[in-house]
Amino acid sequence: MFSKLVKLLLIAVVSSAMLTGCGQSKVSNTQDPTTAGQKKNITIVTSFYPMYISTINVTKGIPGVEVVNMTKPQTGCLHDYQLTPEDLKTLEKANAFVINGAGMEAFLDKTIQQQPQLKIIDASKNLELLKDETGEENPHVWVSVSNAILQVQNIAEQLAVVDTQNAAQYKSNAAEYVKKLEALRDTMHKSLDGTKNKDIITFHEAFPYFAKEFKLNIVSVIEREPGSEPSPAELAATINTIKESHIKALFAEPQYSSKAAQTIAQETGAKVYTLDPVVTGEAKPDAYDAYIRVMENNLKILQEALQ
């Protein structure tokens, strides 16, 4: 009797173990993302603010896609930017890194060396670049609305290759944003194309593409290298140019001190205005229209300055 009872207990334990094992296997398969057909999360890092704005528009409303801007809100153009340990940690989590290209991210070689698996999205791919008198290519392509449109399309096309599951949505979002940028460009052309006064003096080399698009003539540049004060000789030359050309407006940038521009204004009677190359700002998830808003404000300033 005792032996029969032991046998029954053993059979019950083995049966329970088999049922439990089957149950665990079933839950595991249900939770497997590949089996369930769930989309994987995608983290996209952008090099600085203008790339962030374009990228959040391209990725708008796509579940599982996160966009992170690498640099701080106050970071201007990346001419002399140095990678930080925090930047490298951010890039380690990235599936793709969206850059302006055209030589703007001088730190990129180091990034590629340390993150060889990182997919680089070059927003300036195949864009025609302007050169200064020394032959150096100007990377500020996004300041032209037409170039900003091409960059948005570039970002969408290259992300579609990296993340094929969301390819159609990237391209659809890009097309929607491009329509807004085209409307902005048309409005600016209607306001600026008929302006007789086309001569301007800018703060540094951020506006050649903008000037080319709207047929403005940059007579002189106050500081060719951002953050470098012009020499007395350069200041004197700019002052003479303004007096000879009867230019009434100087254009500083909100990212840099306008001290040199104010000095020139005092000597010439010209007025200092502010044009924003849309290079800095808070990387907020709802900053979709930040580029458009800044450009609309730039248009108002130009209308006042060039009338």
Side-chain angles (χ1 to χ4, degrees):
M1 181 70 182
F2 178 76
S3 176
K4 188 179 291 187
L5 181 61
V6 169
K7 288 180 180 180
L8 289 172
L9 286 171
L10 285 172
I11 292 171
V13 169
V14 171
S15 299
S16 176
M18 290 177 63
L19 287 171
T20 304
C22 292
Q24 286 178 338
S25 176
K26 189 173 183 180
V27 172
S28 177
N29 287 338
T30 303
Q31 292 176 345
D32 182 355
T34 304
T35 307
Q38 295 176 0
K39 293 183 178 180
K40 63 181 180 179
N41 291 335
I42 300 293
T43 298
I44 303 168
V45 175
T46 57
S47 59
F48 71 139
Y49 192 57
M51 295 304 99
Y52 176 80
I53 297 172
S54 293
T55 304
I56 62 172
N57 276 282
V58 171
T59 61
K60 186 176 182 180
I62 303 179
V65 176
E66 178 188 22
V67 181
V68 179
N69 194 45
M70 186 181 71
T71 50
K72 296 178 180 178
Q74 66 272 22
T75 303
C77 289
L78 303 178
H79 305 292
D80 301 314
Y81 188 78
Q82 298 293 323
L83 278 173
T84 67
E86 185 179 351
D87 294 336
L88 292 175
K89 288 180 181 179
T90 300
L91 290 172
E92 284 177 2
K93 304 173 184 177
N95 298 101
F97 183 31
V98 179
I99 65 169
N100 176 76
M104 175 60 76
E105 293 87 354
F107 55 85
L108 186 57
D109 289 343
K110 183 177 179 181
T111 305
I112 293 175
Q113 290 172 7
Q114 298 190 19
Q115 303 282 346
Q117 80 291 347
L118 184 60
K119 301 295 184 182
I120 304 297
I121 308 298
D122 184 354
S124 296
K125 183 179 179 180
N126 297 328
L127 266 64
E128 182 180 354
L129 302 179
L130 299 177
K131 297 181 179 180
D132 62 20
E133 63 272 13
T134 68
E136 184 176 353
E137 291 177 335
N138 190 311
H140 302 84
V141 293
W142 73 91
V143 188
S144 156
V145 182
S146 291
N147 281 341
I149 290 171
L150 295 175
Q151 286 194 310
V152 168
Q153 294 169 335
N154 261 334
I155 292 169
E157 289 173 5
Q158 292 175 57
L159 281 179
V161 174
V162 173
D163 177 20
T164 55
Q165 286 184 318
N166 292 311
Q169 190 63 51
Y170 290 137
K171 293 178 181 180
S172 175
N173 283 347
E176 181 180 344
Y177 185 45
V178 163
K179 287 180 181 179
K180 294 182 179 181
L181 293 174
E182 288 174 339
L184 168 70
R185 182 179 60 186
D186 291 345
T187 297
M188 296 184 75
H189 271 295
K190 288 177 182 178
S191 298
L192 296 175
D193 287 353
T195 303
K196 294 181 180 180
N197 180 13
K198 299 286 187 179
D199 294 338
I200 63 174
I201 290 181
T202 60
F203 186 78
H204 88 283
E205 295 281 14
F207 285 94
Y209 292 96
F210 182 93
K212 179 182 179 182
E213 177 155 25
F214 297 108
K215 297 180 175 59
L216 302 175
N217 177 34
I218 299 178
V219 176
S220 182
V221 177
I222 297 172
E223 294 182 12
R224 294 198 175 273
E225 290 296 327
S228 62
E229 291 288 331
S231 67
E234 290 171 334
L235 275 175
T238 302
I239 289 169
N240 288 335
T241 298
I242 291 173
K243 289 180 177 179
E244 292 172 0
S245 305
H246 305 290
I247 293 173
K248 300 299 182 184
L250 308 176
F251 295 98
E253 298 171 28
Q255 291 82 17
Y256 302 100
S257 168
S258 61
K259 181 179 177 182
Q262 296 292 348
T263 300
I264 294 170
Q266 290 173 5
E267 293 294 326
T268 61
K271 186 176 179 180
V272 178
Y273 296 88
T274 300
L275 282 182
D276 192 341
V278 206
V279 74
T280 55
E282 291 285 345
K284 297 179 179 180
D286 60 349
Y288 299 112
D289 292 329
Y291 179 90
I292 292 173
R293 289 195 300 268
V294 172
M295 280 299 176
E296 287 173 340
N297 190 58
N298 284 340
L299 174 59
K300 291 178 183 178
I301 291 169
L302 284 165
Q303 288 172 326
E304 179 185 349
L306 299 179
Q307 65 183 357

